[in-house]
Amino acid sequence: DIVMTQTPLFLSVTPGQSASMSCESSQSLVDTEGRTYLNWFLQKSGHSPQLLIQDVSRRFAGVPDRFSGRGSGTAFTLNISRVEAEDLGVYYCMQTTHVPFTFGPGTQVDIK
Amino acid sequence: EVQLVESGGGLVQPGGSLRLSCVASGFTFNNHWMNWVRRAPGKGLEWVAHISQDGNKKAYVDSVKGRFTISRDNDKNSLYLQMDSVRPEDTAVFYCAKYLGRGIDVWGQGTTVTVSS
């Protein structure tokens, strides 16, 4: 199974500043057709997860352009520019290239 | 409005069985692969299983293989998870979730399963 690791596990951010978190996979997430399926979700306390980014860098409908994803192969990054108070919660990366699909442990973001 | 509503969670004894249901609305259910994802207390998200549009293709995480069965009824816009031989480590909030491509764009509110004697 693909193991996903995320760093850091905890991140404290001042509103208006930027934040960055990393996600690494134990094997390449490129499939046999050259596509990479890496997703980012945010789960706010007491709520269901919400999709932010799919296919490494494609923002889901309605997600502010403050959120951006990049990466390739086994190393991926989620950046949040101009963090807002509503951005607090746990951010998960998830690979959907190889079955069984797997999530990272999450990065908990709190707002200073 | 696109919506997924789970039900069927509750308290079950180790070794027992439970059947989770999820009713979909607001989209063409039989056009989409569907998932179950869970989150155990104090832990992160774990993908559990998925099923193809016609129900013929299924896959599971190793920890539930042979114990859980995912199924669907497209006439009823419903997804199911039959949980047999449950263990305390199956205690979690279970989410029904819809694929968009290879992303998961719609999640239910979750149903809580507690395995305890």
Side-chain angles (χ1 to χ4, degrees):
Chain A
D1 298 359
I2 306 289
V3 176
M4 305 297 287
T5 56
Q6 290 185 244
T7 54
L9 296 181
F10 299 95
L11 192 56
S12 189
V13 189
T14 301
Q17 301 288 334
S18 63
S20 182
M21 61 196 78
S22 296
C23 172
E24 289 194 8
S25 57
S26 59
Q27 297 175 40
S28 173
L29 298 185
V30 182
D31 75 359
T32 54
E33 298 186 5
R35 296 171 299 197
T36 305
Y37 297 110
L38 187 283
N39 309 280
W40 289 96
F41 298 90
L42 166 60
Q43 187 167 28
K44 299 181 181 180
S45 180
H47 289 81
S48 302
Q50 56 189 93
L51 178 63
L52 298 174
I53 302 283
Q54 64 181 120
D55 305 339
V56 180
S57 59
R58 194 151 55 96
R59 260 190 313 276
F60 182 55
V63 174
D65 60 8
R66 303 183 290 104
F67 292 88
S68 62
R70 59 185 172 89
S72 63
T74 62
F76 305 92
T77 303
L78 177 70
N79 291 300
I80 314 171
S81 62
R82 306 180 307 279
V83 168
E84 297 184 4
E86 65 181 21
D87 297 337
L88 87 166
V90 183
Y91 289 78
Y92 294 95
C93 62
M94 177 196 186
Q95 67 83 18
T96 50
T97 297
H98 304 287
V99 172
F101 299 157
T102 45
F103 288 89
T107 292
Q108 173 125 28
V109 172
D110 74 56
I111 307 298
K112 289 181 184 173
Chain B
E1 180 193 1
V2 177
Q3 201 171 10
L4 297 170
V5 179
E6 302 97 334
S7 61
L11 176 64
V12 58
Q13 291 190 338
S17 297
L18 207 58
R19 189 195 197 206
L20 306 184
S21 299
C22 168
V23 177
S25 59
F27 65 98
T28 306
F29 182 70
N30 60 11
N31 280 355
H32 295 274
W33 285 67
M34 296 293 295
N35 294 268
W36 288 98
V37 176
R38 65 184 176 183
R39 185 174 184 185
K43 298 202 170 179
L45 297 169
E46 180 181 43
W47 176 84
V48 174
H50 70 191
I51 186 169
S52 61
Q53 295 97 323
D54 60 6
N56 288 335
K57 298 189 183 77
K58 305 175 186 180
Y60 301 89
V61 68
D62 284 352
S63 59
V64 309
K65 276 182 188 173
R67 301 188 300 120
F68 291 9
T69 303
I70 189 171
S71 62
R72 65 192 295 161
D73 184 335
N74 287 339
D75 291 335
K76 295 182 179 178
N77 286 349
S78 293
L79 177 73
Y80 306 102
L81 187 68
Q82 178 66 41
M83 304 170 61
D84 297 321
S85 304
V86 296
R87 304 166 180 167
E89 56 264 35
D90 294 321
T91 295
V93 176
F94 282 75
Y95 298 99
C96 166
K98 166 190 164 291
Y99 278 125
L100 173 68
R102 292 280 189 105
I104 300 177
D105 67 328
V106 181
W107 299 71
Q109 85 287 352
T111 187
T112 300
V113 173
T114 303
V115 183
S116 174
S117 53

